[in-house]
């Protein structure tokens, strides 16, 4: 069976690999050291078991499933012929990503598509000057990668649509939801929409119009609640574009169009209050609260995933 190569050994790499392993597609994890690659594979197997195995893997024990996977140092891996898809997941460092793509450009057969999970750097810039840039594309996941279905396949200036569609087909095969972004723009698709919402939400907090908690509730219990059932475009097809158009005349002129972070967020960052990982953001978080909310978040994501699969 063809395998998928995951380059990197961090949280995203483990989640991405788990998605393939759980769907009975072998992976090879390639890292800077054998120790890091081995540890990432162990984490991937744990995550794959947690989300549930399918196909032949569901009938095998943990040792048998692990035996079908591989972990190695990137420079030591030579068996590219059996590879179906390569995805890079290393740290958000442009020079690092460019060096890895240059390495892959020279060693991976030109018929094998290559993706980058970069959330910020355009694939056009990462693959600049490479002779096989036509088979390179963005492949942007969202955390946790083993649970969130969306994968953005982003075409660069030189990406051949044939390779992008091959990647989309592969993700459909493992029950992910790929979307094709036809132009390499900042933020791709989902993050642009998400940041448009966050700009308005943070502006409302900055102006003292609503608290962070009320912002959360307003989204979760109104349109966020609906969006688990259908997306914004279909929802407006249901409710009617005329109603939205009339509301837009009143609302659009007053929406935030700031191009920098609001002062309250800048102050939080300067004070090191970056959220749960720092123990404080807009509010303080105890260790017990972090564990409780993180667990609740995971369970709600699972419930939302079930909703998405209702036919």
């Amino acid at each position: 069976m063809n395998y998928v190569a995951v380059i990197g050994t961090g949280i995203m790499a483990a989640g991405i690999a788990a998605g393939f392993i759980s769907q009975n597609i072998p992976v090879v994890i390639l890292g800077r050291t054998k120790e890091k690659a081995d540890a990432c594979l162990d984490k991937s197997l744990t995550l794959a078991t947690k989300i549930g195995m399918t196909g032949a893997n569901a009938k095998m024990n943990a040792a048998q499933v692990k035996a079908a996977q591989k972990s190695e140092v990137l420079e030591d891996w030579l068996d590219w012929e059996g590879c179906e898809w390569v995805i890079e997941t290393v740290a958000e460092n442009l020079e690092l990503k460019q060096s890895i793509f240059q390495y892959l450009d020279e060693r991976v057969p030109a018929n094998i598509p290559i993706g980058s999970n970069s959330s910020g750097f355009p694939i056009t810039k990462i693959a600049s000057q490479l002779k096989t840039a036509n088979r390179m594309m963005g492949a942007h996941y969202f955390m946790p990668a083993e649970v969130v279905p969306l994968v953005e396949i982003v075409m660069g200036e030189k990406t051949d649509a044939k390779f992008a569609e091959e990647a989309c087909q592969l993700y459909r095969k493992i029950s992910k939801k790929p979307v094709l972004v036809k132009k390499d723009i900042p933020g791709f698709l989902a993050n642009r929409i998400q940041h448009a919402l966050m700009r308005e939400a943070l502006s409302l907090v900055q102006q003292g119009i609503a608290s962070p908690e009320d912002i959360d509730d307003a989204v979760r219990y109104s349109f966020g609640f609906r969006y688990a059932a259908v997306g914004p475009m279909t929802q407006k097809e249901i409710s009617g574009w005329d109603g939205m158009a009339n509301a837009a005349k009143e609302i659009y002129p007053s929406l935030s169009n700031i191009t920098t972070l609001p002062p309250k967020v800048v102050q939080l960052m300067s004070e090191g209050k970056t959220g749960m990982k720092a123990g404080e953001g807009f509010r303080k978080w105890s260790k017990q609260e972090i564990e409780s909310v993180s667990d609740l978040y995971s369970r709600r994501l699972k419930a939302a995933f079930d909703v998405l699969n209702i036919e």
Side-chain angles (χ1 to χ4, degrees):
M1 182 182 295
N2 289 345
Y3 72 88
V4 167
V6 179
I7 299 175
T9 56
I11 295 173
M12 290 301 292
I16 289 171
F20 288 105
I21 294 171
S22 69
Q23 295 289 320
N24 200 36
I25 293 180
V27 302
V28 55
I29 294 177
L30 302 172
R32 287 178 294 179
T33 67
K34 185 70 164 64
E35 292 74 20
K36 286 181 177 293
D38 289 345
C40 183
L41 177 56
D42 287 341
K43 177 66 172 176
S44 297
L45 292 165
T46 299
L47 293 173
T49 301
K50 186 176 181 179
I51 62 178
M53 300 284 191
T54 64
N57 281 358
K59 301 175 183 179
M60 295 192 292
N61 60 39
Q64 290 172 319
V65 173
K66 184 174 182 177
Q69 325 305 323
K70 292 181 173 63
S71 51
E72 191 56 80
V73 175
L74 173 59
E75 289 78 6
D76 293 342
W77 185 256
L78 302 175
D79 185 20
W80 291 107
E81 293 297 333
C83 187
E84 182 174 359
W85 168 242
V86 181
I87 179 165
E88 166 271 313
T89 70
V90 302
E92 284 291 287
N93 178 299
L94 180 59
E95 291 183 358
L96 174 61
K97 289 179 183 292
Q98 287 176 326
S99 67
I100 288 175
F101 267 75
Q102 183 174 7
Y103 178 88
L104 298 173
D105 181 52
E106 298 169 353
R107 288 164 178 78
V108 179
N111 63 304
I112 299 171
I114 302 173
S116 171
N117 183 51
S118 175
S119 60
F121 298 120
I123 191 65
T124 299
K125 186 174 290 187
I126 294 173
S128 175
Q129 308 303 316
L130 299 182
K131 62 179 181 292
T132 65
N134 67 309
R135 48 79 175 264
M136 298 174 181
M137 67 202 78
H140 182 227
Y141 278 74
F142 292 78
M143 292 183 67
E146 71 277 9
V147 176
V148 180
L150 186 70
V151 182
E152 296 178 307
I153 301 300
V154 186
M155 295 179 62
E157 291 178 2
K158 297 181 180 179
T159 306
D160 189 321
K162 175 189 72 172
F163 287 110
E165 184 52 39
E166 283 182 19
C168 288
Q169 289 176 3
L170 174 62
Y171 281 113
R172 294 185 192 108
K173 187 164 67 174
I174 66 167
S175 300
K176 287 291 188 182
K177 181 62 70 171
V179 293
L180 183 61
V181 185
K182 300 176 183 178
K183 189 173 182 180
D184 199 4
I185 58 175
F188 317 136
L189 182 59
N191 267 339
R192 289 183 72 89
I193 299 170
Q194 180 174 239
H195 275 269
L197 184 151
M198 284 306 302
R199 177 166 67 174
E200 182 62 29
L202 292 173
S203 294
L204 292 170
V205 172
Q206 178 67 41
Q207 296 173 66
I209 293 171
S211 68
E213 294 78 13
D214 284 340
I215 294 285
D216 279 350
D217 286 346
V219 172
R220 288 186 60 219
Y221 294 99
S222 61
F223 61 85
F225 178 77
R226 298 188 307 208
Y227 288 171
V230 295
M233 304 299 286
T234 299
Q235 198 280 320
K236 286 298 177 252
E237 290 284 333
I238 293 171
S239 65
W241 290 101
D242 51 342
M244 191 223 71
N246 288 330
K249 293 176 184 177
E250 185 72 24
I251 298 171
Y252 277 19
S254 67
L255 288 175
S256 173
N257 62 0
I258 58 174
T259 58
T260 58
L261 287 172
K264 284 190 177 182
V265 179
V266 174
Q267 182 178 348
L268 285 178
M269 300 287 287
S270 67
E271 295 173 354
K273 299 175 182 178
T274 55
M276 285 186 177
K277 62 184 178 183
E280 186 173 0
F282 274 104
R283 53 157 290 189
K284 291 184 178 180
W285 295 93
S286 68
K287 183 177 180 181
Q288 292 73 22
E289 286 177 318
I290 293 172
E291 292 176 353
S292 175
V293 172
S294 297
D295 177 66
L296 184 60
Y297 180 50
S298 296
R299 288 189 285 118
R300 285 174 174 168
L301 283 177
K302 176 63 169 60
F305 187 77
D306 292 339
V307 170
L308 291 173
N309 286 327
I310 293 175
E311 293 295 337

